[in-house]
Amino acid sequence: MVFNKPVKTKDVFNKIKEKIQNQLGYYKHPKDLSKEDIGWLKKNIKQFDQKVLDKIIQNSIKSDKPRV
């Protein structure tokens, strides 16, 4: 599932995941997404849902020890 929308196969999911990681990096906390990042997701990820992203951001907890 991508943004709570089902995808047909694991291969399709992995292609979407790879596309997102190539653009945004391997790990970017949802609270750190810029307007440009969100705009890119809207434009390039068919399953994008702003309400789902807002809920993820609202419920996410940012670690005191960021990944390096």
Side-chain angles (χ1 to χ4, degrees):
M1 293 190 77
V2 177
F3 286 100
N4 288 344
K5 295 181 183 169
V7 291
K8 293 183 181 192
T9 65
K10 187 173 183 175
D11 188 47
V12 172
F13 171 82
N14 286 331
K15 285 181 183 180
I16 295 168
K17 178 180 146 187
E18 184 178 318
K19 187 176 183 180
I20 292 170
Q21 286 178 340
N22 286 339
Q23 178 66 27
L24 303 180
Y26 177 72
Y27 182 81
K28 191 167 201 177
H29 195 279
K31 289 184 177 181
D32 292 336
L33 292 173
S34 68
K35 288 182 181 181
E36 290 81 16
D37 293 337
I38 295 170
W40 182 88
L41 288 167
K42 285 180 187 177
K43 182 178 178 184
N44 295 286
I45 304 301
K46 177 174 75 172
Q47 297 83 359
F48 180 79
D49 185 330
Q50 185 67 51
K51 289 180 185 179
V52 172
L53 180 61
D54 291 344
K55 186 82 169 171
I56 290 168
I57 291 170
Q58 178 185 5
N59 293 333
S60 65
I61 299 171
K62 196 167 177 184
S63 174
D64 293 338
K65 299 176 184 175
R67 292 184 179 187
V68 177

